[in-house]
Amino acid sequence: MKEKKSNPRQTGSFSRRGFLKGAGITAAGTVIASSGVLSLHGQAPDTNKTLGPDTITISMKVNGKMRKLSIEPRTTLADALRIKLQLTGTKVGCDRGSCSACTVWIDDLPTLSCMTLAVEVGNREVTTIEGIAKNGKLHPVQEAFIEHDASQCGFCTPGMIMSTAHLLDENSNPTLDDIKSATRGNFCRCGTHPKVFVATLDAAGKM
Amino acid sequence: MNKFSFFEATSVEEALEQVNSTVSATIQPNASPGASVLKAGGIDLLDLMKEGLSKPEKLVSINNIPQLKEITFDEKKGLSLGAGITLAEISANARIKADYFALHQAASKAATPQIRNMATLGGNLAQRTRCWYFRSKYHECYRKGSSTCFAQIGENEYHAILVNADCASVHASSLATAIMAFDAAIEITGKEGKVKIVSMNEFFVSPDVDRKRETILEAGEIITAVILPKVKENMKSHYIKMGERESNDWPLAEVAVVVELNGEKCKKANIVLGAVAPVPLVSESAIEAIKGQTINEQTARAASIAAMTNATPLSQNAYKVPIFETIIKRALLALL
């Protein structure tokens, strides 16, 4: 790993993500196993419930699978997903809760992963953009986004789809205003909103 | 963010045993190390931490305390909202929509759908101002204990136009504007379960009283509920927020009006302005102007102008005056 680190661009098979992953493991240091995290939500309190500040191991249900990961209490859910679990579909734009690019569902509620601590997810279920396709078939909103060319640079697209797909799961016959309300928080600097609206309306018709 | 340890409390008592500081105390330049603070939705706290303004060493999560999620109704006391309920839950609550419409509107228009799913009532009331000088770690502003309010001569486009002589920040909570208009009270629980009930006016602290805090909350205290008095017959309310963007934005100006009507005559009124001063502001002049009057275009306009008579806009925010005049008038006329 050291060789790659010193001159990563000369290694043909080297990827930036691979490098980040490797660096992450080196930095993680001692892993202190803790059973507290799983009992966080609604179960019996532990005798010593203070976690961290150093690395702890938690389990988290992501896209239907239980995953084990080492994090610090300060690790945001966005970083845990992207860096620890390699689920890089979730994007981080502002990292302050303003742009909604990092939207994931926690127990089916659209939530900002950049403003959620991974340690606080507990036994709730996380769904990311990677988890909404079913049985190898894209979600109707994903298909409609492709069909209507509803993304330009694409950075806001995963968040935009998590907002609109959630809307359609709740309301299969939304009005244009419903779609505008659902995407109120999702910034798009390319200005794709009109196509996002059309794609979502089209997907609603096909659900 | 700095490193911190994490504790999830399952009861108010357990949470209060763990904390030793308010978030506001951690923002001061001479903040003592080892602070342990409460964390609810985390929207404000994590933002302060990511900006390097607050560096607590322990976060005590209060997101899984059943008591804070309760909504109860008492014939005498009124509607008690647990401080841990989210803005989305307030927005979706049928009783709040029917009886406290202005609060429903304020909760529905605040922030973004995602933030409304996370942010709590108590956190919303206790959040710090969004003044960009306060939010910059490079500016030791008045609110951080110095004697300089940079907004007075600096960039003050979004700042206060009333009570702005010492600090020109505006209070960030839209919910507070509506809650104050309903004359609601705040239930604060301290160590050993000591409960005190304070009015919204007592809860918020003006910078001329204490520049380093925006609420009376002390370390070891927690907002446990907001109590909305029982609505009276013929009571009506309305809230209007004006922002730069229609989609989602902080308010440039906002107003909540609650009136008791006798036909179209205004028996009693409460008019509260937000994004206008360092604290949510009851507009006594507007109330005086509309009380006892039949609400119509003329009287609503007179009340709205009265509200702005004492305005002292800064170099870049005089545009707020006509916006307030317009939304106060519109809110009153919307009651008919």
Side-chain angles (χ1 to χ4, degrees):
Chain A
M1 208 186 76
K2 247 185 177 167
E3 281 169 21
K4 286 181 185 176
K5 210 173 175 178
S6 61
N7 201 354
R9 285 186 189 280
Q10 282 179 6
T11 315
S13 62
F14 178 80
S15 80
R16 184 173 144 265
R17 300 219 190 287
F19 168 71
L20 288 174
K21 188 182 175 189
I25 289 166
T26 315
T30 330
V31 174
I32 304 160
S34 164
S35 60
V37 182
L38 272 179
S39 65
L40 283 179
H41 289 265
Q43 291 172 34
D46 280 353
T47 40
N48 181 9
K49 299 201 304 178
T50 300
L51 305 172
D54 295 323
T55 311
I56 52 168
T57 303
I58 63 164
S59 296
M60 193 193 287
K61 198 170 186 186
V62 182
N63 298 331
K65 266 193 231 156
M66 281 310 282
R67 307 289 299 263
K68 213 171 197 177
L69 56 162
S70 297
I71 55 152
E72 289 177 0
R74 65 173 164 173
T75 309
T76 63
L77 176 58
D79 284 348
L81 292 169
R82 288 179 49 83
I83 298 167
K84 301 289 177 180
L85 298 180
Q86 302 288 293
L87 294 169
T88 52
T90 300
K91 302 300 178 205
V92 177
C94 66
D95 200 27
R96 297 291 186 279
S98 297
C99 75
S100 303
C102 68
T103 303
V104 299
W105 302 340
I106 301 185
D107 274 357
D108 290 332
L109 276 184
T111 305
L112 301 171
S113 60
C114 80
M115 298 303 272
T116 302
L117 298 176
V119 67
E120 271 200 286
V121 173
N123 57 11
R124 295 178 294 169
E125 182 163 0
V126 178
T127 307
T128 70
I129 186 72
E130 290 92 344
I132 62 168
K134 291 278 177 274
N135 306 319
K137 199 172 158 21
L138 292 178
H139 189 283
V141 169
Q142 290 175 301
E143 282 181 342
F145 265 61
I146 295 168
E147 197 176 319
H148 291 277
D149 199 11
S151 60
Q152 285 187 38
C153 85
F155 204 81
C156 75
T157 310
M160 203 67 96
I161 290 178
M162 294 312 280
S163 290
T164 50
H166 174 262
L167 171 71
L168 296 194
D169 288 350
E170 301 261 298
N171 173 6
S172 57
N173 190 21
T175 62
L176 179 58
D177 274 349
D178 293 334
I179 299 169
K180 286 184 179 177
S181 289
T183 53
R184 226 155 248 271
N186 294 89
F187 285 6
C188 171
R189 290 306 183 215
C190 305
T192 58
H193 291 93
K195 290 196 172 181
V196 167
F197 302 153
V198 172
T200 310
L201 283 168
D202 188 33
K206 289 176 182 165
M207 276 180 86
Chain B
M1 280 189 285
N2 59 293
K3 268 182 143 178
F4 55 82
S5 61
F6 180 85
F7 181 95
E8 178 145 306
T10 49
S11 70
V12 169
E13 301 72 58
E14 196 182 39
L16 294 182
E17 277 168 21
Q18 296 290 326
V19 294
N20 62 17
S21 174
T22 59
V23 173
S24 290
T26 66
I27 295 169
Q28 302 308 322
N30 56 353
S32 40
S36 171
V37 300
L38 294 173
K39 174 193 175 291
I43 303 291
D44 192 39
L45 177 59
L46 295 192
D47 191 289
L48 291 165
M49 291 170 67
K50 286 180 178 189
E51 292 297 332
L53 285 166
S54 174
K55 292 173 183 164
E57 286 182 21
K58 186 174 192 173
L59 299 195
V60 180
S61 167
I62 51 172
N63 280 325
N64 280 289
I65 299 180
Q67 182 195 337
L68 300 181
K69 296 278 177 194
E70 286 170 7
I71 299 181
T72 55
F73 181 71
D74 179 288
E75 274 300 328
K76 261 195 199 150
K77 273 168 59 186
L79 189 66
S80 170
L81 307 176
I85 65 171
T86 63
L87 271 54
E89 285 162 346
I90 293 175
S91 174
N93 185 288
R95 188 194 277 268
I96 294 173
K97 190 175 179 184
D99 290 351
Y100 308 96
F101 187 58
L103 176 56
H104 163 80
Q105 290 174 299
S108 306
K109 296 221 162 105
T112 67
Q114 288 87 339
I115 290 177
R116 291 197 293 271
N117 284 336
M118 305 167 73
T120 65
L121 173 58
N124 185 276
L125 296 176
Q127 70 180 311
R128 297 306 311 264
T129 178
R130 289 275 159 176
C131 168
W132 42 45
Y133 294 111
F134 176 77
R135 294 270 163 177
S136 154
K137 68 173 173 184
Y138 304 108
H139 291 82
E140 276 193 29
C141 77
Y142 190 85
R143 270 280 153 108
K144 291 177 205 144
S146 90
S147 55
T148 311
C149 169
F150 297 94
Q152 304 290 347
I153 51 163
E155 299 293 331
N156 50 38
E157 194 178 342
Y158 303 120
H159 287 74
I161 56 168
L162 281 169
V163 205
N164 55 4
D166 300 318
C167 158
S169 70
V170 293
H171 200 270
S173 170
S174 290
L175 262 57
T177 310
I179 290 169
M180 203 179 229
F182 285 107
D183 261 335
I186 298 192
E187 180 191 281
I188 297 170
T189 302
K191 283 189 175 155
E192 282 130 35
K194 217 177 120 203
V195 173
K196 64 180 174 189
I197 311 275
V198 298
S199 73
M200 288 287 282
N201 268 325
E202 293 168 285
F203 179 72
F204 294 111
V205 178
S206 195
D208 57 327
V209 175
D210 186 343
R211 66 183 71 177
K212 294 180 184 176
R213 59 167 73 215
E214 286 179 77
T215 74
I216 59 168
L217 287 172
E218 297 285 351
E221 287 185 334
I222 179 173
I223 304 172
T224 35
V226 169
I227 304 157
L228 295 156
K230 212 184 141 192
V231 281
K232 296 194 181 108
E233 267 183 65
N234 304 327
M235 199 184 226
K236 276 187 155 185
S237 67
H238 201 82
Y239 164 88
I240 296 177
K241 159 180 164 178
M242 198 66 88
E244 237 170 4
R245 287 173 302 190
E246 179 62 25
S247 57
N248 89 76
D249 211 345
W250 294 98
L252 298 173
E254 55 180 351
V255 60
V257 296
V258 180
V259 300
E260 276 176 56
L261 290 170
N262 190 353
E264 285 183 0
K265 205 165 180 179
C266 175
K267 256 172 71 185
K268 213 178 154 193
N270 204 2
I271 300 175
V272 180
L273 310 180
V276 75
V279 292
L281 211 65
V282 176
S283 179
E284 300 291 353
S285 350
I287 295 168
E288 203 50 49
I290 199 73
K291 218 166 67 184
Q293 304 282 333
T294 300
I295 299 180
N296 57 33
E297 176 82 28
Q298 204 185 346
T299 54
R301 183 163 167 71
S304 71
I305 288 171
M308 288 293 112
T309 317
N310 295 328
T312 49
L314 305 168
S315 58
Q316 298 170 353
N317 66 5
Y319 72 93
K320 280 193 173 194
V321 174
I323 294 181
F324 272 106
E325 286 174 351
T326 306
I327 63 171
I328 295 167
K329 187 185 86 175
R330 282 185 193 168
L332 284 166
L333 292 175
L335 300 168
L336 302 178

